[in-house]
């Protein structure tokens, strides 16, 4: 950073909170590296907005080739749909149809696609109810699979019939089945690339 750039930064006491400062060059370098790795592997890259929750950063990520965004709750999806995102994955299983009303209304208004997650029959029923109330919304349903953490999702140590029954419920409700969704969150603490690769292989074996 040269001296002119340094003096353009506000003093700490002048910053209104919350205040975010990021290194744009470093961010874009990492996005480019991730996108290149995904392209070499022949897969699409969908990033979660939870590290930044910034419309500006989401737009910049999309410019680098990322495919849609992931959000944690409907209200985040609402903000990002209004902000121009047109492919939203809600990462937490749905349990209440009413929580989706505004998001699906916005999705229909802005022609955005929303992928919702279910891990129980109750969740599928809630999504079906929400879809009936907003039939012109582009909605798909993914089944959440819990690979290790045993927090949310269908446990892989149980009988595969659970996933099959959920897929059948999605079909019976005339909903579009999207895919299986997994999250190997324990990879954050793996410590090195070899350990991460081992977790990824185990994740693939379980699924």
């Amino acid at each position: 950073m040269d001296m002119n750039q340094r003096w353009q930064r506000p003093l700490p006491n002048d910053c209104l909170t919350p205040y975010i400062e990021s290194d744009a060059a470093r961010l874009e370098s990492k996005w480019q590296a991730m996108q290149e790795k995904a392209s070499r592997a022949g897969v699409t890259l969908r990033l979660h907005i939870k590290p930044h929750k910034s419309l500006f950063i989401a737009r910049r990520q999309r410019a680098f080739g990322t495919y849609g965004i992931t959000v944690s709750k409907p209200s985040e999806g609402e903000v990002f749909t209004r902000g121009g995102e047109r492919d939203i994955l809600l990462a937490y299983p749905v349990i209440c149809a009413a929580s989706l009303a505004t998001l699906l209304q916005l999705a229909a208004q802005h022609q955005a696609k929303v992928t919702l997650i279910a891990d129980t029959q109750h969740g599928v029923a809630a999504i079906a109810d929400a879809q009936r109330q907003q039939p012109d919304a582009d909605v798909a349903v993914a089944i959440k699979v819990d690979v290790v953490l045993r927090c949310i999702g269908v446990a892989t140590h149980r009988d595969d019939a659970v996933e099959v029954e959920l897929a059948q419920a999605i079909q019976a409700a005339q909903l579009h089945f999207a895919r299986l969704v997994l999250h190997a969150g324990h990879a954050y603490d793996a410590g090195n690339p070899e350990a991460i690769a081992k977790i990824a292989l185990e994740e693939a074996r379980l699924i």
Side-chain angles (χ1 to χ4, degrees):
M1 179 181 292
D2 63 31
M3 188 60 69
N4 287 333
Q5 289 177 310
R6 182 178 179 183
W7 286 110
Q8 288 174 5
R9 296 172 64 186
L11 296 172
N13 290 340
D14 294 334
C15 298
L16 298 176
T17 56
Y19 175 78
I20 300 175
E21 181 172 297
S22 61
D23 185 329
R26 187 176 182 184
L27 273 177
E28 295 188 356
S29 174
K30 288 182 178 294
W31 296 337
Q32 185 171 0
M34 286 190 294
Q35 186 59 56
E36 289 174 354
K37 183 176 289 187
S39 298
R40 287 195 300 270
V43 298
T44 55
L45 179 64
R46 178 187 293 271
L47 298 177
H48 205 302
I49 60 95
K50 65 182 176 183
H52 56 79
K53 297 189 178 181
S54 163
L55 291 168
F56 173 78
I57 291 178
R59 293 188 192 107
R60 292 296 299 143
Q61 288 175 332
R62 185 151 33 90
F64 276 80
T66 59
Y67 183 82
I69 61 168
T70 300
V71 300
S72 294
K73 52 188 180 179
S75 59
E76 292 176 349
E78 294 163 19
V79 170
F80 280 81
T81 300
R82 289 189 179 100
E85 296 300 322
R86 297 296 176 257
D87 193 314
I88 311 287
L89 170 65
L90 179 60
Y92 204 84
V94 174
I95 59 172
C96 177
S99 68
L100 300 173
T102 303
L103 175 58
L104 296 193
Q105 182 181 22
L106 288 168
Q109 179 183 344
H110 295 283
Q111 297 184 322
K113 178 182 178 180
V114 178
T115 301
L116 304 169
I117 287 179
D119 61 356
T120 63
Q121 296 278 351
H122 177 82
V124 174
I127 294 171
D129 187 17
Q131 175 77 95
R132 281 191 294 270
Q133 295 177 47
Q134 192 70 54
D136 52 344
D138 185 357
V139 174
V141 185
I143 295 175
K144 171 71 174 181
V145 179
D146 180 11
V147 287
V148 170
L149 299 178
R150 299 192 179 183
C151 177
I152 57 174
V154 178
T156 53
H157 65 277
R158 294 175 58 184
D159 194 302
D160 290 342
V162 177
E163 289 96 327
V164 173
E165 290 169 359
L166 283 177
Q168 291 172 338
I170 291 168
Q171 183 179 38
Q174 298 183 325
L175 295 166
H176 174 65
F177 173 67
R179 55 190 172 273
L180 301 177
V181 172
L182 303 85
H183 175 56
H186 53 301
Y188 296 149
D189 298 322
N192 58 73
E194 291 75 17
I196 294 172
K198 183 178 179 181
I199 289 172
L201 289 172
E202 178 64 10
E203 186 179 23
R205 185 192 69 79
L206 289 170
I207 201 61

